[in-house]
Amino acid sequence: MSINKSINKVLDNSSFRVLFSLLIANTFILFVGLIEQLLKNQNLCQIKESILHCSSSQVLAVIRLDNIEGFSILAAASLYLLESRQRKQEAIYKAWQIIDNAAAAKVLTSYARVQALQDLNNYGISLKGLDATYANLDEINLAKANLSKANFPMSSFMNANLTYVNLSNAILASTNFTGANLSNADLSDAELFNADFTDANLSNANLKNVIFGRRINNGEIQLATLINADLSKAILINAQFLTPELVKSAKNCEKAIYDEKLCAALSLV
C-alpha cells in the first residue's frame, strides 16, 4: 500500500510527468532510429569509440530537425496518458460538486446532476448513502450502482435503468419507479411505502424484508403500488405490508418467491 502511495505521489508531480513524457518520446525515437540504421547495415559505433561517446552521439542523432515534429507529438501523447489519473480525479471532484450543489439548492430537475451521477457510476465510484430528496432522475442509467442506504423520498426514476443496482436499506418512500427496469436489483430491507412501481420490471429482484406500507395517524395504511409490475422470480420473503391484493395487481406474481403464509393466502404451492 505504501509503495502505491509513493508511486501516486510521484505521478501527481507535474514536473516529473513532463520530464518522463520527454524521456518516453526520446527513447521511442531513438529505438526507431537504431532499427533503421540496423536495417541499412550501418555501423552504429566505431570500434575505437567509447560506449559513452557512442551512446551520446546516437541520442544527438535523434534530435534532428526532421524528428522534432514526431518528437513533439510523442511527448504530448505521453504527457496526456500520464495525466489521465489526475483528470479522472478532477472529473470525480466536479461531479460530486454538481450533485452536492443541486441537493443544497433543492433543485428538482438537473440534467447536470443526472450526468454527474452516471459519470461517477461509470468510474466505479460508490454512491452509498446518497441523499437526493425530490430529485427528478427520470431515464437515468445507474445499472450496477451501489446506492445502499441512499435516501430518495419523493424522487422520480421513471423509465430508469436500474438493473443489478444495490438499493438495500434505502429510503424510497413515495418514490416513482414507473416503467423503471429493476431486474436483478437488491432492494432488501428498503422502505417502499407509497412508492410507485407501475409497469416496473422487478424480475429476479431481491425484496426480502422490504416494507411495502406504513400506518399513518388515522390508522390508514399507505401501500406501495405494484400495478402491472413484473414479479418473475422476485424474492418477496418476509416482506411487510405485502397484501395478496397488492401482489395480484402485478403480473407474473405466481412466479415470485414468497414465505409460506403469503403462499397460502395466494393459494400457491
Side-chain angles (χ1 to χ4, degrees), residues 12 19 43 104 124 157 186 264:
D12 287 338
L19 292 174
N43 292 326
F157 287 90
D186 183 2

Side-chain angles (χ1 to χ4, degrees), residues 8 26 89 93 137 144 176 194:
N8 291 335
N26 187 77
Q89 289 177 334
Y93 177 74
L137 302 173
K144 299 182 180 180
N176 187 357
N194 222 29

